[in-house]
Amino acid sequence: MADTLHALSVAIVGGGVGGLTAAITLRQQGHNITVIEQKQQYLDSNGGGGLSISFNAIRCLLRLGIDEELKQIADEATEWLVQRHSDGVEKSRTKVEKWRIFVHRTDLLRVLHRRAAQLGVQFMFGQSFQSLQEVEHGVKVQISNGEIVDADVLLGADGINSKVRPAIPGNRDIPPELTGHRTFLVDVPKQKMDQHPDTAELYSLPAFQSWIGGQRAIIGWTMRGRESYHFQMNDHRVGNGEYRGTNDGSTERFVSRVADMPAFRESWKDYEPTVRQMLDAVESCTEWKIAELPEHVAWSDASGRVILIGDAAHAFAPFAGQGACMALEDATVLSAMISRMKPPYDWPAVAQAYARMRQPRIHLIRENIRAIIAICCQPADDVPGPGSAPTMPHLLKDEFEVVQNYDAFEEALKVWDTLRLNGERN
């Protein structure tokens, strides 16, 4: 833990999963943390939907002192069931070897916020980043109410539309790029699922489920104590949206409500009855235009005192279930490195070491996502199943193991020791 003389002042823009994890981890080490969050509070309406958290990220969460709270908000699955889209025929059933949990994003944010506040993290809600000025020994961060926050270092954890990212020279003209893919998020209360035998059966299965085919895929799981079912419906056909009359290439707004639910249901009519019944049971759906950041984004400025984590640095498509997980890893790695610094602080060395360590990992996730899209876009009759080609879990088995066996904290310590041996850090 940092002593009083060596405690750093850290400003974090963005109170999402990554920002709160960094705040808690750094505060646990005695640093002074201020989180600048544009929301007034964490509500279901602004918190997003379900999160699938794999073992690599669970490791990060268990370091935060929230074990019991996490158990209370998490659902688990012991199997991964893959079905053909048109008739629901089982194509594979794979045991979940590593612990995986499913939570509502807002529930996790509330747990993280309570823990951060308990530790003494300071919050400035309803405020957004406006500008920064680098001074000799830190940064001055101006926020939307005109106040100036003084800090030794600024962490940008404010997502794909980050305001911190363009403040780093070289990033000013690098906007997110639409991929043409779209994801639709549907949360169905258990009471509605129970109204039909086919949808009610989903609750009897100890699995998270996939339907694959027709250039689309659906991933589903329970959450909130099995009182709600979350569906992530990935559509790789959408392109610019012309087939639904929504030819919108704007990157100003990535998330919106589906305006025409009958048309949306019609676009999934070739999926099995369980899916159609589920869609009949809901009145609204969230549409998410998938955008990514190019890999040449700079993750820090030359001084090393402005550093990006999570989607602010490397937003990618959500098809591998690793968006929040990578933000958790980023926060864990960077916090571990910062907490081991001693005066005189070599911020550029730490920022560069963090990026060198994390960028290959993010590239691996992007490669996995491309492989998943390729499987989902196979002709319907070619969807892998028993006795034919390997199933999706088997095709990606090695990649999944590499992802899930990763211990971000331990890997950060290894890199830190390497820096010490090479004389690259103080």
Side-chain angles (χ1 to χ4, degrees):
M1 179 177 290
D3 57 40
T4 304
L5 290 176
H6 295 156
L8 297 166
S9 295
V10 182
I12 301 175
V13 176
V17 172
L20 290 175
T21 299
I24 294 168
T25 307
L26 289 166
R27 183 60 189 160
Q28 285 174 323
Q29 296 301 314
H31 301 295
N32 300 313
I33 314 300
T34 301
V35 174
I36 301 161
E37 168 55 44
Q38 65 180 351
K39 298 183 181 68
Q40 294 286 355
Q41 55 185 316
Y42 295 110
L43 302 172
D44 281 1
S45 60
N46 60 28
L51 291 177
S52 169
I53 302 178
S54 50
F55 190 61
N56 50 302
I58 294 173
R59 279 191 172 110
C60 300
L61 289 171
L62 293 179
R63 291 187 171 276
L64 306 180
I66 58 170
D67 305 34
E68 290 304 315
E69 294 86 346
L70 197 59
K71 290 177 184 177
Q72 292 173 13
I73 66 169
D75 285 19
E76 299 181 37
T78 58
E79 295 177 327
W80 178 7
L81 175 62
V82 178
Q83 300 158 271
R84 188 163 56 198
H85 79 293
S86 57
D87 54 15
V89 168
E90 181 177 319
K91 305 301 289 185
S92 69
R93 187 182 293 261
T94 306
K95 183 179 178 181
V96 176
E97 299 290 347
K98 295 288 187 180
W99 188 21
R100 178 183 288 267
I101 61 175
F102 305 92
V103 300
H104 193 287
R105 183 186 297 270
T106 302
D107 295 342
L108 180 58
L109 290 174
R110 287 170 175 162
V111 167
L112 293 172
H113 171 245
R114 284 195 296 269
R115 177 59 173 157
Q118 178 188 55
L119 291 171
V121 172
Q122 300 299 307
F123 285 85
M124 304 183 78
F125 284 110
Q127 302 299 324
S128 59
F129 171 88
Q130 297 298 304
S131 64
L132 69 85
Q133 177 187 1
E134 295 201 30
V135 294
E136 184 177 0
H137 297 296
V139 294
K140 291 182 175 293
V141 182
Q142 182 175 0
I143 59 178
S144 49
N145 67 0
E147 288 187 46
I148 301 295
V149 178
D150 292 308
D152 294 299
V153 63
L154 169 65
L155 306 188
D158 50 340
I160 189 171
N161 287 318
S162 171
K163 292 185 177 181
V164 176
R165 185 174 60 246
I168 297 175
N171 287 347
R172 288 169 186 159
D173 298 315
I174 306 180
E177 300 171 351
L178 288 170
T179 65
H181 305 281
R182 301 203 181 190
T183 290
F184 301 91
L185 304 178
V186 181
D187 293 336
V188 188
K190 184 177 186 297
Q191 60 185 19
K192 287 193 173 182
M193 296 284 284
D194 282 343
Q195 292 174 4
H196 194 283
D198 289 343
T199 52
E201 186 181 358
L202 295 179
Y203 277 90
S204 68
L205 300 172
F208 71 103
Q209 297 165 287
S210 303
W211 292 261
I212 299 175
Q215 300 181 58
R216 285 157 291 161
I218 300 175
I219 313 295
W221 59 78
T222 68
M223 59 184 185
R224 291 187 156 171
R226 301 180 69 81
E227 286 301 316
S228 178
Y229 210 97
H230 176 77
F231 292 91
Q232 177 179 308
M233 309 176 71
N234 303 319
D235 193 337
H236 307 299
R237 307 168 303 165
V238 174
N240 62 12
E242 288 180 350
Y243 89 102
R244 292 178 53 247
T246 58
N247 186 6
D248 179 10
S250 169
T251 58
E252 292 298 316
R253 189 178 183 189
F254 293 120
V255 181
S256 61
R257 288 289 183 182
V258 171
D260 189 343
M261 282 300 294
F264 176 69
R265 294 186 185 99
E266 181 72 11
S267 72
W268 292 84
K269 67 180 182 179
D270 57 328
Y271 265 58
E272 67 141 321
T274 301
V275 173
R276 300 199 302 271
Q277 289 151 8
M278 176 273 295
L279 289 177
D280 287 340
V282 298
E283 297 177 358
S284 64
C285 173
T286 300
E287 179 180 3
W288 185 6
K289 291 187 293 186
I290 304 304
E292 296 183 330
L293 288 173
E295 295 194 61
H296 62 271
V297 166
W299 287 23
S300 65
D301 68 350
S303 74
R305 291 182 182 270
V306 182
I307 307 174
L308 304 176
I309 67 174
D311 280 356
H314 51 65
F316 49 74
F319 308 134
Q322 288 295 316
C325 296
M326 290 302 106
L328 284 161
E329 287 188 7
D330 286 352
T332 300
V333 167
L334 185 56
S335 298
M337 291 182 170
I338 289 174
S339 294
R340 280 155 181 76
M341 295 175 68
K342 295 180 181 178
Y345 300 112
D346 189 348
W347 289 104
V350 170
Q352 291 164 18
Y354 158 71
R356 285 200 303 266
M357 177 180 171
R358 296 297 300 156
Q359 286 170 348
R361 175 87 169 154
I362 301 303
H363 181 76
L364 170 66
I365 300 299
R366 291 178 186 266
E367 289 295 311
N368 286 357
I369 290 168
R370 283 189 274 271
I372 290 169
I373 292 173
I375 293 171
C376 294
C377 289
Q378 294 180 87
D381 292 339
D382 294 337
V383 175
S388 58
T391 63
M392 184 192 288
H394 293 142
L395 276 172
L396 300 175
K397 183 175 185 295
D398 291 341
E399 288 83 353
F400 286 161
E401 289 182 354
V402 168
V403 169
Q404 297 192 75
N405 289 338
Y406 188 86
D407 188 324
F409 181 78
E410 293 299 328
E411 293 299 321
L413 296 190
K414 291 177 185 177
V415 171
W416 189 256
D417 287 340
T418 301
L419 290 177
R420 177 176 57 83
L421 292 172
N422 292 341
E424 294 182 35
R425 66 156 174 93
N426 43 283

